[in-house]
């Protein structure tokens, strides 16, 4: 019987995990241990609901409600001096509980602090665009749309950014295989030559470890090169590749290795 | 690096040479290969280095041209992605014959380390390739050696004949 | 060869011409020698002036984030080289630092010094390359040849260290694999002693050159608000009046022990950025001199460790692997299965030559990262072209793209 492979997460998995292995945790500390973060959190809590907050690896992480995001970021930008949105993207938790986790990485240059604002949305739900607050979100949200299919409300130009406009599928979903699906495999052939060319051009070769010394179309044996498509028998003549033909080249003097000087110090 | 003296008066003596049309045409073609800048990724940087001060591609008569219509050889240096694949075909079609293609680096040869949804697994799926240079990234010397081999290949052809259709359609 | 048939329609058929104003749509790229890679710009023009710009990226999207989800941590290291391929080691370093923060490792001092060498040499290489290509785009061929010559010296030094010219993979999680070669310090000193004169040569060629000034001054002005809002970092931000350098503000490695200045300007135009790149080269040279001293001090104090000691995550030194059974077993497990960092997430920003290079890693305790987001500075520096180009003229496009210093391996990942 073939081994069962889950369809909802087709990424690489550890092939062996000890039954008793318990993964350790990256330590979290309470927000109160850092004054700046504590006061920031107070300010946010005063207006919005904060579900969870802690400090991990010197940065504060707060969880809020999805519909509050515009307000929270506006507050952080205008009152708490978090003037830059460094990064935002999503994490795919569809296999676990059908949600996406969205994170916004904020930077305050005056306080030298970074906060990660996070929230969860259901599959199919859209996020509120913060493009009005931070122009950088314009492209990040497009990238998120491209990679996960999460749309942003009120975004001026919600189109794919990294993949072509006529692409199908969202590459960073866990259900999307690394090597692409059927559509991706034939994308360039279909687009340039049309479907009928598939037979002529042939499927992609994805096996990185494939070596076939009898295949002279794709492989050549060093020192025993033959023209493309020759049938390999195994007793090929050794082939010495030289730059110039034996008979000499018109108007070009033949290189004489003996009489040429080799310079081995490049920094001379 | 090697230095050697060229003594023009030695072989033929006077500046008169008898030769065949084939040879002189091929000599001209092979010694003024104008390459099209097709720096797609990291290999493109090595291609630039090959053209810059230390490696000096001009010695080979190879000058980088920005337009496909003025160039003889297309050096595909770097990863070809599926989004870009359409353009390489367009640009290849714009080049005048005879034209040659060098695929530089393992990405252009086979997709290289990027065994992913977004990369074309070898430019020879789209355009015919004459020369494959292995390496990630190949050194500028490799590219120069590749051009030398291409010159040899050009010399081996009959100048009058139309280029034979290579693989692919 | 007969023209091979294909299905592509001529390009102009993709554009509609049913406008009654005299706006012209100009396609720039994706294969354009001065687009620094594969940038495609759709420019709407009124005569020579740009009224709307629409950068189109993704022509070098190679799926690195997806690759990261399918690779063990050490396996991903060479892939980071291909992000900002002008300065590969700084990407290696950013990733290594993120994983080290995640598992809480302290790197031995000697390894730190070597990392500093690599980072600063990479910064110099990147800035020299920037100078070369930008000058070439603007027409200053001499500077291109000069800057590439200097870059080759650095390449030689790096090549002596790790064997590769472009894609170094010279930093490991937990330290560095090798000590520097014997000729390293000597070669570096020779280079550094020459550098001030070289920089002065470039400046003599450019600073008072009328064409250079006309293409640079008052062109591509980015205001502070715009730079902040677009997430600009690095020289782009410093040219717009914010003296923010992560090396200074959130020091990593030994940057808190070295003396250096953060050049900044409040002009925000191309020329300001050019000046900042030049000054940063001088600062890098200063840092490198101090690194040489630190290295010699390490040598004297007999600090020879290059990798952190953490048998759960990092393989033991080669000698131990060859002689001790337990180390060999550890090594075997770490290579075949990969290290398993603790559950948690981390975002670490480092100052790469282009700006803030951040790695966000979400680990679920497995040998593969659950999600890895690469925050590459160039992505936003390309985005800003949308707002920056309108109002400028076509020739300015080239000089603006030049000074933003974007690298497409990083923009598209
Ligand atoms: S072969 Fe290597 S160096 Fe060349 S483009 Fe591909 S990844 Fe970059």
């Amino acid at each position: 019987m073939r081994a069962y492979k889950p369809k909802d997460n087709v990424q690489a998995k550890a092939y062996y995990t000890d039954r008793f292995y318990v993964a350790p945790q990256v330590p979290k500390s309470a927000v109160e241990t850092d004054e700046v973060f504590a006061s920031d959190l107070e300010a946010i809590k005063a207006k919005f609901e904060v579900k969870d907050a802690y400090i991990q690896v010197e940065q504060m992480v707060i969880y809020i409600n999805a519909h509050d995001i515009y307000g929270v970021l506006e507050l952080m930008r205008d009152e708490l001096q978090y003037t830059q949105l460094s990064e935002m993207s999503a994490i795919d938790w569809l296999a676990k509980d059908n949600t996406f986790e969205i994170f916004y990485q904020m930077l305050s240059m005056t306080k030298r602090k970074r906060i990660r604002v996070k929230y969860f949305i259901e599959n199919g739900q859209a996020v509120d665009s913060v493009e009005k607050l931070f122009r950088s979100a314009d492209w990040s949200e497009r990238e998120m749309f491209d990679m996960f299919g999460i749309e942003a409300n009120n975004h001026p130009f919600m189109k794919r950014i990294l993949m072509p406009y006529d692409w199908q599928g969202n590459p960073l979903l866990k259900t999307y295989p690394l090597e692409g699906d059927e559509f991706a495999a034939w994308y360039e052939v279909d687009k340039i030559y049309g479907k009928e060319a598939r037979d002529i051009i042939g499927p992609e070769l994805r096996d990185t470890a494939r070596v076939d010394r009898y295949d002279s179309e794709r492989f050549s044996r060093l020192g025993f090169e033959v023209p493309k498509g020759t049938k390999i028998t195994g007793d090929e003549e050794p082939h010495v590749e030289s730059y110039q033909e034996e008979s000499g080249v018109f108007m070009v003097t033949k290189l004489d290795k003996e009489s040429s000087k080799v310079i081995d110090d490049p920094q001379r | 690096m090697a230095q050697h003296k060229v003594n023009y008066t030695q072989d033929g003596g006077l500046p008169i040479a008898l030769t065949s049309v084939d040879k002189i045409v091929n000599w001209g073609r092979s010694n003024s290969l104008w390459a099209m800048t097709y720096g797609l990724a990291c290999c493109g940087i090595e291609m630039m280095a090959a053209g810059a001060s230390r490696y000096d591609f001009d010695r080979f008569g190879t000058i980088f041209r920005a337009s496909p219509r003025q160039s003889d050889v297309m050096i595909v240096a770097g990863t070809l992605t599926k989004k870009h694949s359409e353009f390489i075909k367009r640009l290849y079609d714009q080049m005048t014959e005879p034209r040659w293609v060098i695929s530089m680096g393992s990405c252009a040869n086979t997709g290289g380390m990027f065994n992913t949804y977004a990369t074309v697994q070898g430019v020879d799926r789209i355009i015919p390739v004459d020369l494959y240079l292995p390496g990630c990234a190949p050194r500028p010397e490799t590219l120069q050696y590749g051009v030398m081999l291409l010159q040899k290949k050009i010399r081996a052809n009959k100048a009058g004949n139309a280029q034979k259709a290579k693989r692919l359609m | 060869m007969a023209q091979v048939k294909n299905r592509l329609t001529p390009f102009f058929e993709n554009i509609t011409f049913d406008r009654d104003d005299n706006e012209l749509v100009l396609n720039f790229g994706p294969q354009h020698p001065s687009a620094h890679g594969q940038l495609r710009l759709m420019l709407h023009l009124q005569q020579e002036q740009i009224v709307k710009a629409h950068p189109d990226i993704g022509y070098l999207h190679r799926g690195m984030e997806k690759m990261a989800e399918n690779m063990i941590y050490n396996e991903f290291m060479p892939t980071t080289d291909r992000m900002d391929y002008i300065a590969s080691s700084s990407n290696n370093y950013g990733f290594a630092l993120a994983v080290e923060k995640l598992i809480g490792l302290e790197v031995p001092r000697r390894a730190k010094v070597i990392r500093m060498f690599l980072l600063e040499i990479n910064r110099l290489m990147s800035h020299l390359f920037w100078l070369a290509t930008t000058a070439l785009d603007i027409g200053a061929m001499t500077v291109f040849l000069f800057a590439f010559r200097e870059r080759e010296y650095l390449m030689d030094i790096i090549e002596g260290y790790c064997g590769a010219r472009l894609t170094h993979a010279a930093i490991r999680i937990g330290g560095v694999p090798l000590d520097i070669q014997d000729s390293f310090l000597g070669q570096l000193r020779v280079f550094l002693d020459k550098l001030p004169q070289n920089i002065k040569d470039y400046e003599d060629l450019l600073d008072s050159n009328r064409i250079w000034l006309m293409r640079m001054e008052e062109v591509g002005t980015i205001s502070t608000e715009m730079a902040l809002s677009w997430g600009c970092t690095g020289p782009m931000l410093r040219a717009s009046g914010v003296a923010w350098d992560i090396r200074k503000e959130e020091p990593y490695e030994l940057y808190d022990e070295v003396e250096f200045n953060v050049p900044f300007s409040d002009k925000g135009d191309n020329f300001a950025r050019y000046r900042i790149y030049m000054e940063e080269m001088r600062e890098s040279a200063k840092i490198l001199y101090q690194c040489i001293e630190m290295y010699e001090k390490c040598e004297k104090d007999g600090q020879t460790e290059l990798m952190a000691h953490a048998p759960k995550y990092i393989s033991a030194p080669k000698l131990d692997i060859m002689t001790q059974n337990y180390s060999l077993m550890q090594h075997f497990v770490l290579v075949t299965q990969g290290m398993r960092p603790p559950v948690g997430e981390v975002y670490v920003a480092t100052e790469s030559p282009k700006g803030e290079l951040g790695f966000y890693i979400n680990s679920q305790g497995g040998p593969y990262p659950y999600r890895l987001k690469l925050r590459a500075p160039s992505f936003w520096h390309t985005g800003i072209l949308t707002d920056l180009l309108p109002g400028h003229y076509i020739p300015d496009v080239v000089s603006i793209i030049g000074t933003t210093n974007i690298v497409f391996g990083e923009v598209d990942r």
Side-chain angles (χ1 to χ4, degrees):
Chain A
M1 212 170 76
R2 245 184 309 157
Y4 172 71
K5 283 225 186 78
K7 301 270 184 312
D8 52 3
N9 184 352
V10 291
Q11 309 311 305
K13 305 253 172 30
Y15 68 87
Y16 171 76
T17 304
D18 186 8
R19 278 166 66 202
F20 303 107
Y21 178 73
V22 180
Q25 298 279 334
V26 179
K28 296 174 183 172
S29 52
V31 178
E32 286 68 42
T33 51
D34 188 300
E35 280 170 36
V36 184
F37 282 147
S39 71
D40 287 346
L41 185 64
E42 277 311 307
I44 297 171
K45 264 190 181 158
K47 291 206 182 136
F48 301 98
E49 185 192 346
V50 175
K51 287 179 173 164
D52 190 10
Y54 53 83
I55 295 178
Q56 197 171 37
V57 203
E58 300 150 35
Q59 292 173 15
M60 180 160 81
V61 184
I62 60 173
Y63 282 89
I64 58 168
N65 284 318
H67 53 83
D68 286 340
I69 182 65
Y70 191 90
V72 171
L73 291 202
E74 192 171 25
L75 175 83
M76 286 174 69
R77 185 189 71 168
D78 294 341
E79 285 163 37
L80 305 179
Q81 298 166 350
Y82 286 83
T83 46
Q84 220 176 34
L85 173 67
S86 314
E87 177 63 288
M88 65 152 296
S89 195
I91 305 168
D92 172 357
W93 294 110
L94 293 183
K96 202 171 111 201
D97 47 11
N98 206 26
T99 53
F100 287 109
E101 185 175 358
I102 320 279
F103 66 90
Y104 296 74
Q105 184 72 39
M106 306 295 300
L107 165 66
S108 163
M109 290 181 177
T110 42
K111 300 181 189 169
R112 301 181 189 176
K113 291 283 179 195
R114 292 172 193 270
I115 295 186
R116 193 155 47 243
V117 183
K118 301 178 110 187
Y119 60 87
F120 288 96
I121 58 166
E122 294 286 312
N123 188 9
Q125 200 182 331
V127 302
D128 286 340
S129 169
V130 293
E131 186 266 338
K132 296 266 163 347
L133 296 172
F134 299 99
R135 286 288 282 136
S136 59
D138 183 346
W139 277 30
S140 313
E141 277 162 4
R142 277 177 71 188
E143 191 191 334
M144 190 167 77
F145 170 68
D146 193 353
M147 293 291 143
F148 293 94
I150 303 171
E151 295 202 25
N153 297 329
N154 306 327
H155 190 283
F157 190 72
M158 196 82 263
K159 279 211 175 182
R160 285 186 183 273
I161 186 167
L162 292 178
M163 303 313 291
Y165 288 163
D166 53 355
W167 190 261
Q168 291 171 13
N170 302 100
L172 276 182
L173 292 179
K174 292 281 174 190
T175 47
Y176 195 91
L178 171 66
E179 300 182 353
D181 51 14
E182 178 76 12
F183 172 81
W186 293 107
Y187 176 80
E188 77 274 22
V189 175
D190 286 0
K191 184 157 181 182
I192 298 173
Y193 296 111
K195 281 212 167 57
E196 27 335 327
R198 284 187 182 191
D199 292 343
I200 306 167
I201 293 176
E204 292 176 324
L205 292 176
R206 293 265 187 186
D207 184 356
T208 44
R210 179 167 172 266
V211 177
D212 182 358
R213 64 165 286 216
Y214 291 100
D215 178 359
S216 66
E217 289 276 338
R218 292 192 187 81
F219 299 95
S220 67
R221 204 166 133 225
L222 272 188
F224 295 88
E225 287 92 349
V226 290
K228 209 172 185 179
T230 317
K231 203 158 171 350
I232 308 271
T233 51
D235 45 344
E236 275 72 38
E237 294 287 302
H239 174 97
V240 182
E241 187 62 75
S242 65
Y243 162 52
Q244 281 172 336
E245 295 86 339
E246 271 311 305
S247 54
V249 180
F250 175 58
M251 301 251 298
V252 180
T253 319
K254 201 162 165 66
L255 167 74
D256 181 10
K257 280 213 178 102
E258 299 298 304
S259 67
S260 51
K261 195 170 112 203
V262 176
I263 304 160
D264 42 15
D265 177 18
Q267 305 237 352
R268 97 204 113 97
Chain B
M1 264 183 270
Q3 278 182 340
H4 55 255
K5 274 216 201 81
V6 183
N7 186 353
Y8 290 105
T9 52
Q10 193 181 23
D11 304 329
L14 289 169
I16 295 173
L18 294 179
T19 183
S20 60
V21 175
D22 243 5
K23 270 194 182 155
I24 194 150
V25 170
N26 276 337
W27 168 77
R29 276 183 186 163
S30 65
N31 285 311
S32 69
L33 278 174
W34 285 9
M36 183 178 144
T37 52
Y38 214 124
L40 293 171
C42 350
C43 285
I45 308 298
E46 287 297 64
M47 187 175 76
M48 286 180 75
S53 27
R54 184 186 196 171
Y55 294 97
D56 188 12
F57 231 148
D58 291 5
R59 294 181 292 161
F60 297 79
T62 300
I63 308 173
F64 287 107
R65 303 299 304 183
S67 164
R69 288 160 220 270
Q70 302 165 347
S71 41
D72 309 303
V73 52
M74 179 194 248
I75 302 178
V76 187
T79 323
L80 183 70
T81 60
K82 302 221 168 184
K83 191 171 180 182
H84 197 109
S85 58
E86 170 193 349
F87 294 92
I88 199 169
K89 179 69 187 154
R90 279 182 196 284
L91 292 167
Y92 180 74
D93 285 350
Q94 285 175 13
M95 286 167 68
T96 50
E97 285 186 20
R99 56 192 168 189
W100 296 274
V101 177
I102 295 179
S103 138
M104 179 182 181
S106 31
C107 282
N109 297 345
T110 64
M113 67 191 297
F114 295 101
N115 193 4
T116 63
Y117 56 91
T119 44
V120 175
Q121 302 294 302
V123 281
D124 50 4
R125 288 175 66 75
I126 297 175
I127 54 173
V129 175
D130 291 277
L131 207 71
Y132 300 85
L133 300 181
C136 179
R139 298 175 60 95
E141 289 97 325
T142 319
L143 180 58
Q144 292 182 335
Y145 182 63
V147 167
M148 277 156 67
L149 287 184
L150 185 65
Q151 290 179 338
K152 193 177 166 191
K153 180 174 174 175
I154 293 170
R155 285 197 296 264
N157 277 348
K158 278 250 176 287
N161 291 1
Q163 263 180 305
K164 259 205 265 109
K166 293 155 197 163
R167 216 187 108 218
L168 220 99
M169 315 275 315
Chain C
M1 187 169 108
Q3 194 82 6
V4 171
K5 275 202 226 79
N6 64 52
R7 314 215 135 193
L8 302 173
T9 46
F11 203 76
F12 52 82
E13 285 182 15
N14 300 344
I15 303 171
T16 44
F17 281 107
D18 51 357
R19 309 171 176 280
D20 41 15
D21 53 0
N22 46 12
E23 192 171 291
L24 173 81
V25 181
L26 180 75
N27 176 51
F28 177 101
Q31 185 272 334
H32 188 281
S34 64
H36 281 213
Q38 313 187 22
L39 172 64
R40 181 170 174 204
L41 282 170
M42 301 298 263
L43 302 171
H44 295 237
L45 304 170
Q46 288 283 5
Q47 275 103 41
E48 280 262 306
Q49 201 170 28
I50 296 158
V51 288
K52 201 167 149 243
H54 176 73
D56 187 10
I57 59 167
Y59 290 97
L60 194 51
H61 175 65
R62 303 184 269 196
M64 285 190 187
E65 287 168 17
K66 190 79 174 175
M67 281 168 84
E69 288 174 17
N70 289 283
M71 283 182 166
I72 62 174
Y73 287 85
N74 277 321
E75 202 181 350
F76 186 60
M77 186 59 84
T79 314
T80 57
D81 276 342
R82 277 83 182 164
M83 275 176 70
D84 175 1
Y85 35 74
I86 317 270
S88 328
S89 297
S90 49
N91 308 317
N92 296 161
Y93 177 70
F95 179 62
L97 186 70
V99 181
E100 280 156 16
K101 283 254 171 89
L102 190 65
I103 54 191
L105 270 188
E106 186 55 32
V107 176
R109 187 175 167 89
R110 191 174 178 129
K112 281 187 176 176
V113 179
I114 295 174
R115 283 172 168 203
M116 296 263 289
F117 275 129
L118 293 175
L119 288 180
E120 288 310 316
I121 288 179
N122 269 283
R123 193 178 309 276
L124 276 174
M125 267 164 55
S126 166
H127 284 6
L128 283 170
F129 186 85
W130 169 83
L131 182 69
T133 49
T134 308
L136 184 66
D137 289 349
I138 291 179
M141 185 83 183
T142 322
V143 180
F144 168 77
L145 295 176
F146 278 12
F148 254 84
R149 180 189 62 191
E150 263 71 71
R151 187 166 170 268
E152 289 292 337
Y153 290 136
L154 288 173
M155 288 264 207
D156 278 344
I157 300 178
I158 287 271
E159 193 185 337
Y161 177 67
C162 68
R165 281 164 52 87
L166 204 65
T167 46
H168 310 147
I171 293 172
R172 298 283 182 278
I173 298 166
V176 288
L178 295 165
D179 200 356
I180 54 176
Q181 76 271 26
D182 297 338
S183 60
F184 189 98
L185 293 184
Q187 281 183 356
L188 189 62
R189 267 211 200 90
V190 172
F191 175 81
L192 289 179
D193 291 345
K194 267 196 297 188
L195 188 67
Q197 183 55 41
N198 290 331
I199 297 178
K200 198 169 159 293
D201 283 351
Y202 311 144
E203 286 179 342
D204 287 350
L205 282 168
L206 295 175
D207 266 2
S208 51
N209 184 323
R210 244 176 60 209
I211 302 174
W212 183 260
L213 289 178
M214 273 159 67
R215 303 288 298 268
M216 287 285 178
E217 270 180 336
E218 312 279 309
V219 173
T221 310
I222 303 176
S223 66
T224 311
E225 293 76 48
M226 190 167 153
L228 286 174
S229 164
W230 262 107
C232 287
T233 42
M236 288 279 277
L237 186 62
R238 290 196 283 276
S240 299
V242 185
W244 172 263
D245 187 326
I246 300 175
R247 290 177 294 170
K248 202 86 173 175
E249 313 289 334
E250 299 172 336
Y252 49 92
E253 284 319 287
L254 303 172
Y255 279 113
D256 44 355
E257 293 181 23
V258 292
E259 284 271 321
F260 66 102
N261 300 326
V262 179
F264 75 104
S265 154
D266 45 17
K267 284 262 178 43
D269 58 355
N270 280 350
F271 196 72
R273 292 194 278 276
Y274 154 70
R275 290 300 320 157
I276 283 180
Y277 283 115
M278 300 309 256
E279 289 306 320
E280 275 193 9
M281 282 203 256
R282 296 207 168 91
E283 298 303 323
S284 289
K286 232 196 268 173
I287 298 177
L288 278 171
Y289 274 122
Q290 296 172 45
C291 289
I292 295 179
E293 272 166 34
M294 286 200 283
Y295 182 81
E296 278 163 351
K297 189 151 175 299
C298 283
E299 191 99 292
K300 242 199 298 162
D301 298 351
Q303 289 157 327
T304 50
E305 281 211 333
L306 290 177
M307 289 291 263
H309 179 74
K312 244 171 97 183
Y313 303 113
I314 314 273
S315 297
K318 210 59 193 183
L319 186 69
D320 286 3
I321 295 175
M322 293 306 187
T323 50
Q324 290 173 23
N325 197 6
Y326 184 74
S327 299
L328 180 65
M329 277 156 56
Q330 278 292 351
H331 180 65
F332 182 75
V333 170
L334 284 174
V335 169
T336 54
Q337 297 180 15
M339 68 165 85
R340 290 168 197 251
V343 182
E345 47 178 24
V346 66
Y347 175 85
V348 175
T350 55
E351 182 81 17
S352 91
K354 314 264 173 331
E356 174 182 327
L357 177 73
F359 282 81
Y360 169 83
I361 301 179
N362 187 321
S363 152
Q364 291 301 312
Y368 304 95
Y370 190 79
R371 173 90 169 95
L372 189 140
K373 180 87 182 85
L374 310 163
R375 189 251 188 239
S378 297
F379 185 73
W380 283 274
H381 296 172
T382 318
I384 201 170
L385 294 177
T386 327
D387 291 354
L388 187 57
L389 290 182
H392 286 92
Y393 293 89
I394 300 183
D396 297 339
V397 175
V398 172
S399 63
I400 292 175
I401 295 175
T403 50
T404 48
N405 197 5
I406 45 184
V407 168
F408 270 77
E410 201 177 50
V411 177
D412 300 336
R413 289 152 302 184

